[in-house]
Amino acid sequence: MHDVRTTYTLMDGRKVAAEIKSEIAAQVLKRRDAGKKIPHLAIILVGDDGASQTYVDHKVKACKEVGFHYTLMRFADTISEERLLKHIDQVNTDPDVDGFIVQLPLPPHISVEVITEHIRPEKDVDGFTNRNFGSIVSKNPLLLPATPNGIMELLKRYQIHTQSKHCVVVGASRLVGAPLSMMLAEQGRATVTVCHKYTQNLAHHTRQADILVVAVGKPGLITGDMVKEGAIVIDVGTTRVEGPQYKNGYTLKGDVDFASVAPRCAYITPVPGGVGPMTIAALLLNTLRATELSHG
Ligand code: NAP
């Protein structure tokens, strides 16, 4: 029988992201005083998906907070892939735009891979392109994938060292799980286990984790009995669950059953307020970096 820990540290992504944003805002002021270019982020939003609109609103708000210029480009969900590619060409070659993102998901008739690969890697501030994915293993990465990099930054700011730790990443998507597992191994020097849909006996693996990261999109997938006492748990999952009991008609749920897992943890991220704000902070850091790389 394990002892049950009654205190855990909540990893406050909002607070850490606010610190990062004030550091970026100071950099922007310095750039302004030195007559250097102010970073400019463009956001492409296709369709009127409510969740995407909310994420874009947060990104626009963050740009305003740090003093970046921003452009929001909206297109109907009937736009063809060919037409969207033409708009991406324009942004790719617009010298005033330093970085841009195409908010996902896209309508089913548009290929995420085709669109993503069309973004110039130097402006790919989400870090989604194959070039930036590959740059995780390079000595001099260009723009690291935003959500994984936000998680690495959150760990750093809580002085959680990953070297020689056993990290278990549940979920192996191209956008989150796969790049994060590489970053934990490469930059974090951790021993990494990657679990996915075909992993047998998931609990056997998650129980080995010093640091457990879950990025699946299945609320409540990880329960207290699946977590080692004293583990660090990062919940990336963000699923909109609707119900009349929630203000606005929905709530956001992580992949981790917080009530049963938190008492076993040393550290845990909440949903919302954990990884989400760190993703936006990482996006801003990438935009600043893209500006520095192209304009000094
Ligand atoms: P995704 O593309 O759907 O990938 C989910 C991954 O989990 C896939 O590798 C999938 O395998 C795997 N999986 C499915 N069922 C599983 C199971 N039972 N056990 C283990 N692995 C399983 O989603 P994503 O883009 O990685 O996002 C994952 C979650 O994170 C979502 O809730 C998303 O909203 C959230 N997210 C949050 C942020 C943030 O900033 N907070 C950013 C990005 C994503 P298959 O591909 O084989 O199905």
Side-chain angles (χ1 to χ4, degrees):
M1 180 79 177
H2 294 288
D3 289 334
V4 174
R5 183 182 289 263
T6 49
T7 54
Y8 53 84
T9 301
L10 201 62
M11 298 175 82
D12 188 343
R14 282 198 188 110
K15 186 168 142 250
V16 175
E19 279 164 24
I20 294 172
K21 281 190 277 189
S22 67
E23 290 161 16
I24 296 173
Q27 291 291 320
V28 172
L29 285 181
K30 261 197 200 161
R31 293 185 69 82
R32 180 161 295 157
D33 290 348
K36 290 185 176 172
K37 186 174 182 307
I38 301 300
H40 180 174
L41 175 71
I43 301 169
I44 294 180
L45 174 61
V46 180
D48 51 12
D49 174 71
S52 294
Q53 180 65 63
T54 307
Y55 293 135
V56 165
D57 290 346
H58 288 314
K59 290 167 190 176
V60 165
K61 183 168 167 272
C63 283
K64 289 180 184 165
E65 282 168 6
V66 299
F68 283 3
H69 295 156
Y70 68 91
T71 303
L72 176 56
M73 304 167 75
R74 298 197 65 145
F75 302 103
D77 61 4
T78 48
I79 190 171
S80 67
E81 186 176 284
E82 200 189 350
R83 191 91 210 115
L84 188 57
L85 288 172
K86 290 222 166 79
H87 286 290
I88 291 177
D89 281 335
Q90 279 170 9
V91 189
N92 272 337
T93 53
D94 182 341
D96 197 57
V97 174
D98 302 294
F100 73 101
I101 61 166
V102 178
Q103 182 65 44
L104 301 180
L106 290 168
H109 66 278
I110 299 179
S111 157
V112 172
E113 203 179 347
V114 167
I115 294 300
T116 303
E117 278 310 297
H118 210 69
I119 298 173
R120 243 182 81 192
E122 292 80 2
K123 294 193 179 190
D124 167 32
V125 286
D126 260 335
F128 283 171
T129 56
N130 288 335
R131 163 73 174 79
N132 283 322
F133 180 71
S135 99
I136 292 172
V137 291
S138 116
K139 291 251 177 309
N140 190 16
L142 185 58
L143 297 168
L144 289 167
T147 298
N149 205 28
I151 293 168
M152 297 298 286
E153 193 60 35
L154 186 64
L155 290 168
K156 251 186 242 158
R157 301 245 173 175
Y158 274 88
Q159 295 181 2
I160 293 168
H161 303 290
T162 51
Q163 181 166 316
S164 308
K165 299 270 169 58
H166 185 183
C167 298
V168 177
V169 179
V170 185
S173 75
R174 172 65 179 73
L175 302 186
V176 187
L180 177 66
S181 55
M182 283 166 63
M183 285 171 76
L184 285 164
E186 283 292 322
Q187 280 113 38
R189 297 174 177 178
T191 302
V192 181
T193 299
V194 183
C195 299
H196 44 69
K197 207 165 55 177
Y198 304 102
T199 298
Q200 293 189 1
N201 196 354
L202 181 62
H204 164 78
H205 298 283
T206 57
R207 276 191 212 114
Q208 317 292 318
D210 301 315
I211 300 175
L212 175 65
V213 187
V214 195
V216 173
K218 294 210 160 104
L221 177 71
I222 304 296
T223 46
D225 57 313
M226 298 169 76
V227 176
K228 179 166 86 172
E229 176 69 22
I232 293 152
V233 175
I234 309 287
D235 190 355
V236 189
T238 316
T239 304
R240 264 193 183 214
V241 176
E242 296 183 1
Q245 70 272 39
Y246 304 122
K247 202 177 128 207
N248 306 326
Y250 70 88
T251 190
L252 295 180
K253 292 231 189 246
D255 292 336
V256 172
D257 174 43
F258 193 89
S260 65
V261 173
R264 300 186 60 76
C265 293
Y267 293 84
I268 186 168
T269 59
V271 177
V275 174
M278 291 305 298
T279 294
I280 295 183
L283 178 71
L284 297 174
L285 284 170
N286 268 350
T287 307
L288 179 61
R289 177 166 163 77
T291 313
E292 287 167 351
L293 288 173
S294 57
H295 294 90

